[in-house]
């Protein structure tokens, strides 16, 4: 007999069912039948006879007709088989399908998926597993907390006193100024902090301070959940946690910092007395204006020591802890324009009253003391200049600081703690030249000691490099040392007047008018330039005032211009053509062009009425210079910037990673070049002739506003774009005052003092530089005259729709047709300043005399008439209007 057992024959049922047969202990090589295949209640194999081929000595096996039958039998039997039933090796109790079981006699550490369970029951963990995991998690958490608690140290308030200077550098690399908070910091003992100050903070920030353990679990959970969702993180800090954050941790809003803060706070809460924690918190908190700690805050805001603070003053200082940028009554418009003095004082007074009320309610302020404290709001002292922050340096440093905070994760409190090196774009020679130009014109033209109307006159100016965006110079005001803390170069609130008109012209060349079928129109298109005109909508109806009377747009002068080209209207700053043009183009298109050129949306007037076209918006001097730089750069816009690098203790600050802005083509180059060509003519023949003294190719626009409250000049060469604003402001409420009578003149206009400042500065800033001129402008758009223009006849007619109260006349009564002589052979197309008025037109050349309230004040007498060539030739006659007659009472261009 062979040494090897003969393989028994396969049953007739055959197939894979035979492969599932079981094995007996005495029959090696044979496979056991599937568990429960006999359907025995006990789960054992029976002695029933299933066929002639059943030869296994361990028991008889059934014969299956197919794989499906065998599988169903196995599954059915498996469900009925008791879990603890005995069985042969490899087919024992608890087996389902062979590959889901463990080796016989061997238990798994974690029984999951569960043995002996099938279907969804296999995936339901047992109570032992759940409880084990829970105990393990809690144990790990306890161990982690214990390790974290052991590893952290208690902070010391003296560590936070180690502040350093911030150092600013000129564009050339030399040091501009070093300023910081090192001298504005002094720790005081708890006995030197008045009880009212302590209770003001507790009532406002953490009522349970003396009872809690140092942390607020619900607050932390809320803060962590908010951070996980990417939301705000307020609401998770007790006074103990804030003290820990002030002295030991960065201000980063991260989960890591929150957990570390929790561990340290627990340790601080158990190791330190409450008064020690409270003292540390008040000695390390940031109160704004560079003041860290209650002693520095008391000196900064009230000029006294902390121990001498009154309850009412304590409530004001406690309000600052919510955020000094928005609760300092002096305002912080340089950091956020919504944080002006009026808004901040309102917020401060509301929180001051609430804090006093909470102190009274918490029985920390008696009835008598409460009534005394709430009687009058104790207005803090104004801002004071710190060492080195005088002249224009203060405004340069603040502009750079604002840029750093806006383009990094550095907080104001961190920044004011010092240790940063800020490399700016400011060029010392140009900054000095701009300040010198302002002072020279002020000295020559203004005499505030002897003329009341010369008081409160202010200037703001900025100079930007086209195609780059670098701010090389700015003029922010008379200096912190003179009590002027608002940066006039980077503030909004001063309407720009007619300097807005180039955006209207650019929009017309880009989008066309409502009846030009989407084709841009030429600056040689004619519009009615007469005074006191109704403004019609595209549907033919007219704009009405609030009382349903007709709205009339006025010029400063009643000179009968008749139908003049847009080029001529820009030259002489006539309002009526641009107001109607703006309506025809669509004010949304005008807004979009201004925004693409660099004007911020939040500085634009939200009311897109007709007067929007002539400068009701209030962008800053920096933004106006940057927007005109877009024209200088043939339509390439670059955001203005003032900082090139920030280092922290010599190494690059990791959060300041924004690269220099890249130029973007926002206007077709020929549109921008045509705007430049028109603005060149303003200087050569129009309201900006004072700028001709520059002696080089330049373009610019004058602007004056309603009631003569502000006057602008914005002009540029290819190397520099500079804006100059002039205005009067009431120092008490910061409202604009009329400049009628200022400098001994009936009114101040953009072509006068602002243009003189611009010219003085540009002569110095560009001294020794070449004169590259501007790229040539080529013919653009289609001639699309306003409906009603005499000749040439428009391709489309326009029939106004009568309003209910009146039927408009198609031709204004004041229209005076102008002669149309033939242009010379050299001016067939008529582009370029050489063709201006070289065939027709008389007069000495206009000056910018617009800007009063709809002609309600005396206006200059006009005696000449300007000529208009058949193609473009513009005379340079007198009589101009820069801005008048605000729509619905608003300012105009």
């Amino acid at each position: 007999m062979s040494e090897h057992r003969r393989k028994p024959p396969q049953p007739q049922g055959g197939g894979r069912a035979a492969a599932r047969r079981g094995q007996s202990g005495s029959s090696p090589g044979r496979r056991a039948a599937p568990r429960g295949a006999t359907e025995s209640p006990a789960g054992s194999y029976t002695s029933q006879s299933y066929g002639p081929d059943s030869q296994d000595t361990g028991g008889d096996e059934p014969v299956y007709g197919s794989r499906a039958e065998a599988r169903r039998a196995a599954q059915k039997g498996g469900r009925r088989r008791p879990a603890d039933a005995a069985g042969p090796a490899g087919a024992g109790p608890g087996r389902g399908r062979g590959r889901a079981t463990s080796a016989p006699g061997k238990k798994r550490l974690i029984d999951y998926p569960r043995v002996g369970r099938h279907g969804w029951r296999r995936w339901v963990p047992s109570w032992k597993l759940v409880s084990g995991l829970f105990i393990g998690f809690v144990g790990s958490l306890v161990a982690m907390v214990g390790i974290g608690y052991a590893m952290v140290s208690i902070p010391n308030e003296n560590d936070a006193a180690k502040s350093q200077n911030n150092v600013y550098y000129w564009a050339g690399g030399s040091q501009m100024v070093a300023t910081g908070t090192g001298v504005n910091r002094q720790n005081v003992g708890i006995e030197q902090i008045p009880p009212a100050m302590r209770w003001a903070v507790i009532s406002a920030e953490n009522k349970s301070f003396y009872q809690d353990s140092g942390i607020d679990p619900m607050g932390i959970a809320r803060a962590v959940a908010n951070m996980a969702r990417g939301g705000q993180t307020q609401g998770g800090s007790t006074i103990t946690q804030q003290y820990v954050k002030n002295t030991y941790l960065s201000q980063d809003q991260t989960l890591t910092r929150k957990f570390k803060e929790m561990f340290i706070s627990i340790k601080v809460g158990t190791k330190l007395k409450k008064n020690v924690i409270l003292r540390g918190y008040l000695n390390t908190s940031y109160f704004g204006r560079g003041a860290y700690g209650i002693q520095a805050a008391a000196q900064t805001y009230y000029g006294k020591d902390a121990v001498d603070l009154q309850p009412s003053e304590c409530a004001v200082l406690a309000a600052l802890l919510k955020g000094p940028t928005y609760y300092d009554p002096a305002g912080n418009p340089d950091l956020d324009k919504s944080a002006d003095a009026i808004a901040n004082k309102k917020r401060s007074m509301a929180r001051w009253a609430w804090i006093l009320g909470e102190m009274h309610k918490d029985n920390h302020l008696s009835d008598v003391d409460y009534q005394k404290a709430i009687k009058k709001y104790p207005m803090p002292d104004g801002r004071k200049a710190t060492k080195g922050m005088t002249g224009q340096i203060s405004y340069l440093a603040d502009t750079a600081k604002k840029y750093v905070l806006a383009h990094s994760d550095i907080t104001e409190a961190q920044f004011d703690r010092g240790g940063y090196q800020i490399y700016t774009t400011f060029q010392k020679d140009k900054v000095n030249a701009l300040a010198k130009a302002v002072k020279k014109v002020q000295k020559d033209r203004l005499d505030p000691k002897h003329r009341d109307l010369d008081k409160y006159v202010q200037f703001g100016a900025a100079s930007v490099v086209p195609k780059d965006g670098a701010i090389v110079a700015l003029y922010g005001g008379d200096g912190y040392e003179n009590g002027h803390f608002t940066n006039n170069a980077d503030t909004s609130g001063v309407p720009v007047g007619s300097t807005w008109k180039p955006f209207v012209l650019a929009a017309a060349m880009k989008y066309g008018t409502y009846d030009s079928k989407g084709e841009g129109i030429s600056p040689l298109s004619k519009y009615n330039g007469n005074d006191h005109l109704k403004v019609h909508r595209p549907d033919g109806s007219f704009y009405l005032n609030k009382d349903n009377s007709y709205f009339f747009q006025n010029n400063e002068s009643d000179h009968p211009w008749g139908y003049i080209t847009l080029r001529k209207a820009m030259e002489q700053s006539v309002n009526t053509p641009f107001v109607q043009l703006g309506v025809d183009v669509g004010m949304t298109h005008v807004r979009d062009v201004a925004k693409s050129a660099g004007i911020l949306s939040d500085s634009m007037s939200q009311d897109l009425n007709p007067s929007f076209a002539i400068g009701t918006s209030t962008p800053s001097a920096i933004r106006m210079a940057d927007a005109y730089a877009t024209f200088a750069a043939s339509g390439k816009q670059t955001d203005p910037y003032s900082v090139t690098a920030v280092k922290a203790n010599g190494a690059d600050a990791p959060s300041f990673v924004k690269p220099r802005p890249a130029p973007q083509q926002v206007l077709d180059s020929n549109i921008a070049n045509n705007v430049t060509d028109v603005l060149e003519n303003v200087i050569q023949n129009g309201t900006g002739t004072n700028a001709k003294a520059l002696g080089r190719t330049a373009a610019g626009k004058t602007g004056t506003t309603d009631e003569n409250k502000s006057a602008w000049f914005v002009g540029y060469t290819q190397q520099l774009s500079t804006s100059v604003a002039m205005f009067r402001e009431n120092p008490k409420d910061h409202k604009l005052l009329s400049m009628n009578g200022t400098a001994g003149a009936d009114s101040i206009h953009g072509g006068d003092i602002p243009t003189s400042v611009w010219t003085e500065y540009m002569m110095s800033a560009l001294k020794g530089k070449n004169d590259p001129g501007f790229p040539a402008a080529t013919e653009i758009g289609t001639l699309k005259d306003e409906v009603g223009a005499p000749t040439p006849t428009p391709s489309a007619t326009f029939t106004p729709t009568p309003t209910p109260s009146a039927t408009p006349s198609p031709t204004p009564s004041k229209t005076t047709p102008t002669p149309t002589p033939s242009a010379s052979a050299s001016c067939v197309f008529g582009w370029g300043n050489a063709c201006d008025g070289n065939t027709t037109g008389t007069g000495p050349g206009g000056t910018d005399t617009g800007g009063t309230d709809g002609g309600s004040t005396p206006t200059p007498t006009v005696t000449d008439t300007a000529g208009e060539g058949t193609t473009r030739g513009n005379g340079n006659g007198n009589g101009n209007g820069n801005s008048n007659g605000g729509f619905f009472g608003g300012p105009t261009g």
Side-chain angles (χ1 to χ4, degrees):
M1 188 174 180
S2 171
E3 293 180 4
H4 300 284
R5 181 184 294 274
R6 182 176 60 87
K7 182 177 181 180
Q10 297 292 327
Q12 292 180 358
R16 295 190 181 181
R20 297 190 178 96
R21 293 177 180 152
Q23 297 176 353
S24 67
S26 62
S27 299
R30 295 289 305 276
R31 301 184 63 181
R35 183 183 70 230
T38 62
E39 296 188 28
S40 171
S44 63
Y45 295 97
T46 69
S47 61
Q48 297 180 17
S49 176
Y50 291 106
D53 295 326
S54 294
Q55 300 176 13
D56 194 339
T57 60
D60 295 327
E61 294 180 330
V63 178
Y64 299 107
S66 68
R67 291 164 53 193
E69 291 179 9
R71 182 169 62 252
R72 284 194 297 270
Q75 291 173 344
K76 185 176 182 181
R79 285 194 299 271
R80 295 174 58 187
R81 188 176 180 85
D84 57 350
R95 283 183 62 92
R97 297 174 184 174
R99 59 179 178 269
T101 61
S102 303
K106 204 172 184 179
K107 291 186 178 181
R108 292 186 297 170
L109 179 64
I110 299 178
D111 184 20
Y112 192 82
R114 299 180 66 186
V115 173
R117 298 290 186 271
H118 309 283
W120 62 268
R121 292 181 178 85
R122 294 183 63 212
W123 305 101
V124 177
S126 66
W127 68 268
K128 293 181 179 179
L129 178 62
V130 172
S131 59
L133 290 175
F134 176 75
I135 293 172
F137 172 76
V138 173
S140 299
L141 186 63
V142 170
M144 183 178 66
V145 170
I147 294 172
Y149 183 85
M151 289 181 63
V152 298
S153 59
I154 295 177
N156 190 320
E157 63 196 80
N158 291 318
D159 294 338
K162 297 175 182 177
S163 57
Q164 305 174 58
N165 283 333
N166 286 327
V167 183
Y168 296 84
Y169 296 90
W170 294 105
S174 61
Q175 183 173 311
M176 178 197 303
V177 66
T179 182
T181 62
V183 297
N184 198 18
R185 177 62 176 273
Q186 181 182 349
N187 291 340
V188 292
I190 192 69
E191 69 283 353
Q192 294 175 287
I193 303 174
M197 187 68 220
R198 296 178 239 164
W199 289 120
V201 171
I202 292 172
S203 292
E205 303 284 335
N206 185 188
K207 289 180 181 292
S208 63
F209 171 69
Y210 281 108
Q211 290 79 42
D212 63 41
S213 62
I215 63 170
D216 177 6
M218 292 303 296
I220 291 177
R222 183 168 57 250
V224 169
N226 286 342
M227 281 188 285
R229 294 193 300 264
Q232 297 296 319
T233 59
Q234 295 117 339
S237 295
T238 63
I239 285 177
T240 303
Q241 289 173 272
Q242 292 179 61
Y243 166 54
V244 169
K245 182 173 61 177
N246 290 345
T247 57
Y248 193 76
L249 302 169
S250 71
Q251 304 298 310
D252 298 335
Q253 298 294 340
T254 63
L255 288 173
T256 301
R257 188 195 65 77
K258 268 291 177 186
F259 280 114
K260 191 172 184 179
E261 174 189 303
M262 179 180 67
F263 290 138
I264 302 174
S265 297
I266 293 173
K267 196 165 192 175
V268 168
T270 58
K271 297 291 184 179
L272 298 182
K273 294 181 178 179
K274 289 293 185 177
N275 278 346
V276 174
I277 297 172
L278 184 60
R279 181 198 68 196
Y281 172 63
L282 287 172
N283 276 330
T284 58
S285 293
Y286 183 65
F287 289 84
R289 300 191 194 180
Y292 277 89
I294 184 60
Q295 175 64 14
Q299 287 289 346
T300 299
Y301 288 90
Y302 289 108
K304 61 174 65 174
D305 291 330
V307 71
D308 297 323
L309 289 170
Q310 298 299 311
S312 187
E313 296 167 336
C314 292
V316 173
L317 296 182
L320 291 169
L321 295 174
K322 188 171 178 65
T325 298
Y326 302 98
Y327 288 87
D328 181 353
N332 286 282
D334 291 338
L335 293 178
D336 188 335
K337 76 170 194 173
S338 66
D340 59 70
I342 296 175
N344 274 20
K345 183 178 178 180
K346 184 177 180 180
R347 280 189 285 261
S348 176
M349 292 182 70
R351 189 160 178 82
W352 162 78
W354 176 80
I355 289 174
L356 289 176
E358 291 299 298
M359 293 171 67
H360 183 232
K361 184 171 67 176
D362 296 340
N363 297 319
H364 302 317
L365 205 59
S366 68
D367 292 342
V368 174
D369 289 338
Y370 172 73
Q371 292 300 328
K372 181 180 178 181
I374 200 71
K375 187 175 181 180
K376 183 180 179 181
Y377 176 80
M379 187 68 184
D381 298 339
R383 292 178 177 271
K384 302 177 182 69
T386 58
K387 182 180 180 181
M389 299 288 278
T390 57
Q392 295 309 301
I393 298 297
S394 52
Y395 307 116
L396 299 175
D398 272 358
T399 300
K401 172 183 175 180
K402 182 178 179 180
Y403 189 85
V404 171
L405 297 183
H407 295 89
S408 72
D409 296 332
I410 301 170
T411 67
E412 185 184 7
Q414 285 176 306
F415 189 89
D416 284 348
R417 189 172 290 180
Y420 295 98
Q421 297 85 50
I422 303 97
Y423 295 84
T424 76
T425 60
F426 304 125
Q427 298 180 18
K428 186 175 182 179
D429 58 338
K430 290 182 175 59
V431 170
N432 291 339
L434 185 54
K436 184 178 179 181
V438 172
K439 297 302 181 184
K440 181 179 185 300
V441 174
Q442 280 181 321
K443 183 178 179 181
D444 292 346
R445 301 293 301 276
L446 302 177
D447 187 7
K449 292 182 178 180
H450 300 92
R451 279 197 300 260
D452 286 343
L453 292 175
D454 288 1
K455 293 179 179 178
Y456 313 130
V457 173
Q458 298 184 32
F459 291 87
S463 192
V464 173
V465 178
K467 296 184 183 179
D468 182 271
I471 306 170
V472 295
L474 58 79
Y475 182 86
D478 291 335
Y480 282 15
E481 69 275 19
N482 293 314
H484 186 82
F485 293 93
T486 300
N487 185 353
N488 292 342
D490 196 23
T491 189
S492 59
V494 182
V496 295
S498 286
T499 57
W500 196 259
K501 290 175 182 174
F503 303 129
V504 182
L505 181 61
M509 288 190 281
K510 180 176 182 179
Y511 296 105
T513 60
Y514 67 90
D515 63 344
S516 71
K517 299 180 180 179
E519 184 177 359
I521 70 171
S522 167
L524 302 182
S525 302
K526 292 184 178 180
Y527 270 69
N528 194 340
N530 287 336
D531 183 42
H532 199 64
L533 297 181
K534 299 175 184 176
V535 181
H536 60 74
R537 294 184 172 91
D539 64 3
S541 62
F542 291 96
Y543 281 92
L544 303 176
N545 292 310
K546 291 181 180 179
D547 61 359
N548 289 325
S549 62
Y550 285 116
F551 165 72
F552 290 91
Q553 179 58 53
N554 298 308
N555 296 324
E556 200 278 332
S557 167
D558 62 359
H559 178 72
W561 290 105
Y563 284 86
I564 56 175
T565 65
L566 297 173
R567 179 182 176 87
K568 182 68 177 181
M570 186 77 77
E571 172 195 298
Q572 297 298 325
S573 204
V574 187
N575 287 335
T576 47
F578 282 97
V579 170
Q580 188 60 63
L581 177 66
V583 172
D584 293 350
V585 172
M587 294 302 178
T588 55
H589 287 322
V590 175
R591 178 195 61 199
D592 292 344
V593 166
K595 182 178 179 180
S596 68
I599 302 298
L600 298 178
S601 297
D602 58 5
S603 67
M604 283 192 249
S605 175
Q606 301 305 303
D607 191 352
L608 301 183
N609 60 40
S611 294
F612 180 79
I614 48 177
T616 55
S617 298
T618 60
S620 68
I622 290 175
R623 283 289 171 175
M624 283 301 288
D626 182 68
Y628 272 49
T630 301
F631 300 135
S634 296
K636 290 185 178 180
Q637 192 273 335
T638 312
D639 282 340
Y641 68 101
S642 58
V643 177
T644 59
V646 178
K647 296 182 181 296
N649 298 316
D652 288 335
S655 64
F656 185 79
V657 294
K658 185 177 177 64
R660 295 188 184 186
Q664 295 182 332
Q665 191 76 41
V666 298
L667 278 178
D668 180 84
S669 59
N670 199 37
I671 291 177
N673 293 341
N674 271 274
V675 172
T676 294
D677 182 80
V678 171
L679 297 185
E680 281 187 84
N681 185 53
V682 171
I683 290 179
Q684 292 300 315
N685 302 302
T687 58
T689 53
N690 280 340
K692 290 172 68 174
L694 179 60
R696 63 172 65 225
T697 306
K701 184 68 187 77
T702 57
T704 314
T705 54
D706 189 28
E707 297 182 8
N708 201 207
K709 290 182 178 179
S710 64
W712 287 74
F713 185 77
V714 188
Y716 55 91
T717 66
Q718 278 209 61
Q719 298 104 321
L720 283 178
S721 176
T722 303
S723 64
V724 178
M726 176 182 176
F727 56 96
R728 289 182 72 220
E729 184 181 74
N730 188 319
K732 294 182 178 180
D733 57 15
H734 301 286
K735 291 184 178 180
L736 296 181
L737 303 171
S738 174
M739 290 189 293
N740 289 333
T742 296
D746 290 338
S747 58
I748 299 295
H749 307 292
D752 187 11
I753 292 180
T755 303
S756 297
V757 172
W758 182 90
T759 306
E760 285 282 341
Y761 162 70
M762 293 291 277
M763 288 175 66
S764 177
L766 297 174
K767 186 177 181 180
K769 301 293 195 324
N770 64 340
D771 182 4
F774 294 111
T778 57
E779 183 177 2
I780 192 170
T782 182
L783 288 173
K784 194 67 179 178
D785 296 343
E786 181 187 4
V787 173
T791 54
T793 304
S795 59
T797 59
F798 174 78
T799 304
T801 301
T803 59
S805 58
T807 302
S809 172
T811 305
S813 58
K814 289 186 180 181
T815 301
T816 303
T818 55
T820 56
S822 299
S824 64
S826 63
C827 290
V828 174
F829 175 55
W831 241 256
N833 292 323
C835 299
D836 285 320
N838 59 359
T839 57
T840 60
T842 61
T847 56
D848 185 2
T849 55
T852 55
D853 188 11
S856 60
T857 56
T859 59
T861 302
V862 178
T863 58
D864 65 316
T865 302
E868 284 286 340
T870 55
T871 55
R872 187 197 55 82
N874 295 328
N876 29 320
N878 195 4
N880 358 307
N882 200 34
S883 61
N884 308 277
F887 183 66
F888 300 155
T892 64

